[in-house]
Amino acid sequence: MLLPQTISILGQQIPSITVFLAAAFVYFFFVVWYEGKKDGFDIENLFNIFFVSIILASGISFALWRYLHWSAIYAYNSPLLKIETNLFALTVFYIMLLITACLYARRLRWSYFKIADILALAVSFVVMFYALGNFFVYGGAKYVIMVLTILLLNRLILVYRSYKFSSGISFGILNTLLGLYIFFFYFVSGHLLVGVLLVTISSVLLYLRFKEGNMNTSLPADLLKHLKNKLINKENELKRQDKLLKEEDPYMQPGRAEENAEIMDEAILEDSRRELTDASRGTIASILVQVRKALAYIKMGKYGICEVCGKAIDKARLKIYPEATKCTDCASKLDQ
Ligand SMILES: [Zn+2]
C-alpha cells in the first residue's frame, strides 16, 4: 500500500495510523474552538467541557477495556464479551463523552443540543482522519466512502448549520452516519447492536428537538409584528443619530484646514471632542449590529429563542429590549 504499517519516530516503531489519530485529536479541538466561537460560546468554558468529558470518558472506557481483557482470560463466559472488546470500549467512550458534555452544558445552562452538534462535528472529523489513515496504510473502498460521505455531509452542515438547521439536527445526521458505518463496515461481534444503538440515540434526540422546537417558536403573530416594527424604527433612529454625530465630527467637517488647529489648546480640545464622538458612534454601531441581528433572527424564524441556551426568551424582556437574542440568565452570565 501507500504507507508502511509502522513508522519509526525517535527510534520507536509506531503504527502509522497513530500519526493520523494525533492529527485528528488536534483537529478535534480546532473544530470545537471554531464552531464554538461561531455559536457565541465562552471558549474557556467550552474547552473545559470537552477536556473534562474526554478525560472522564477515557478513564471509564480504559477501565472497562482492561476489565474485558481480564475477563477474557479469567471469566470467559461473561456476557460483556459477546461484543468485541475494542468496539465496546469505544462505544462506552463515545456515549460517556456525550453524556458528560451534555450534563456539563446543562449545568452552565447552555443548550445541550448545540454542544452535541459541536461534539458530533468534531468526532466526525476524527473518524475521517482515521479512515484516511487506514486508506493510506491498508487501502480499501470502504475508507474512500467514509472520507467522501463525511466531507460531503460536513460541507452541507457547515453551510446550513445555525441558520437553516436548528441545533441538534447536525448531531442527528452525523451520529446516524457513525451508526451506519459501524453497522456496514466494522464486521466484529456486536457491531449490529452498536450500530442500531447509535441510530436510536439520534432518533430520540431528533424527536426531543422536534418537540421542544415546536414549543419554542411560537411568539404570537401580532406581538412579533409589533416587535419587528419597533426594531425597524430603532434601526432608522440609530442610523439618523450616527449621521448627526458624523456631521459633528470635527475631522469630517469640510473646510477644516490646518489653521483651525493652529493653537495647541484648540488642537487638544478638538481631539478630545473627536474622542467623544468616536465613543458614542462606537456604541451606536454596536447597538445597530444587535438590532440587525434580531431582525435577521425574525427572518430565520429563530427570534425569541436564546442563542446560548436555546430556551424561550421572556416576553416581558423582549417588549422592553426587542433586540435581545439571549435570555436574561445567559445575558447576565456573559456580563460578569
Ligand atoms: Zn439563555
Side-chain angles (χ1 to χ4, degrees), residues 51-244:
F51 269 121
V52 168
S53 310
I54 286 177
I55 289 168
L56 203 73
S58 309
I60 290 172
S61 55
F62 182 71
L64 181 80
W65 185 76
R66 285 306 294 260
Y67 169 75
L68 288 171
H69 273 273
W70 176 85
S71 55
I73 303 166
Y74 302 103
Y76 44 83
N77 50 5
S78 160
L80 289 183
L81 290 174
K82 296 234 159 64
I83 300 177
E84 197 250 351
T85 309
N86 291 333
L87 179 65
F88 199 1
L90 268 176
T91 308
V92 170
F93 174 77
Y94 180 62
I95 290 173
M96 283 314 297
L97 195 64
L98 190 65
I99 292 175
T100 318
C102 286
L103 286 179
Y104 200 140
R106 247 193 120 79
R107 241 192 83 220
L108 293 171
R109 307 183 66 114
W110 288 1
S111 156
Y112 53 88
F113 290 116
K114 280 190 179 176
I115 294 295
D117 275 351
I118 295 176
L119 178 73
L121 272 169
V123 166
S124 77
F125 279 109
V126 172
V127 174
M128 195 198 72
F129 273 101
Y130 168 78
L132 199 67
N134 268 301
F135 173 73
F136 280 125
V137 178
Y138 304 107
K142 67 177 177 185
Y143 297 119
V144 180
I145 297 174
M146 283 169 85
V147 172
L148 290 181
T149 43
I150 291 177
L151 280 179
L152 194 76
L153 271 178
N154 274 297
R155 177 87 202 112
L156 274 175
I157 286 170
L158 292 179
V159 170
Y160 290 121
R161 197 172 87 84
S162 71
Y163 113 91
K164 270 192 181 158
F165 289 175
S166 50
S167 49
I169 305 285
S170 313
F171 172 82
I173 295 172
L174 292 170
N175 199 59
T176 304
L177 187 71
L178 198 62
L180 291 178
Y181 286 157
I182 291 171
F183 199 92
F184 287 112
F185 294 147
Y186 201 66
F187 294 115
V188 293
S189 61
H191 76 116
L192 294 179
L193 190 68
V194 172
V196 170
L197 179 76
L198 290 180
V199 175
T200 310
I201 290 176
S202 317
S203 313
V204 170
L205 198 123
L206 285 177
Y207 171 74
L208 285 176
R209 171 76 273 187
F210 188 68
K211 240 178 84 187
E212 199 168 294
N214 277 357
M215 265 164 30
N216 266 346
T217 44
S218 54
L219 271 179
D222 51 338
L223 177 64
L224 193 66
K225 205 177 163 194
H226 169 72
L227 292 174
K228 191 179 171 183
N229 285 335
K230 252 177 131 173
L231 282 166
I232 292 172
N233 289 341
K234 198 160 185 176
E235 189 188 15
N236 291 333
E237 174 60 23
L238 284 165
K239 277 198 274 192
R240 200 181 62 84
Q241 280 184 23
D242 186 59
K243 209 177 148 214
L244 282 177

Side-chain angles (χ1 to χ4, degrees), residues 109 306 308-311 326-327 329-330:
R109 307 183 66 114
C306 173
V308 178
C309 71
K311 285 178 195 145
K326 292 185 187 77
C327 71
D329 285 334
C330 293

Side-chain angles (χ1 to χ4, degrees), residues 279-295:
S280 32
R281 285 189 72 198
T283 317
I284 287 175
S286 68
I287 302 172
L288 199 57
V289 165
Q290 188 57 38
V291 167
R292 284 178 177 153
K293 192 170 166 188
L295 281 168

Side-chain angles (χ1 to χ4, degrees), residues 36-53:
K37 219 177 63 166
K38 220 163 66 180
D39 278 352
F41 282 119
D42 168 38
I43 295 299
E44 199 178 314
N45 267 326
L46 191 68
F47 272 115
N48 281 346
I49 288 186
F50 283 97
F51 269 121
V52 168
S53 310

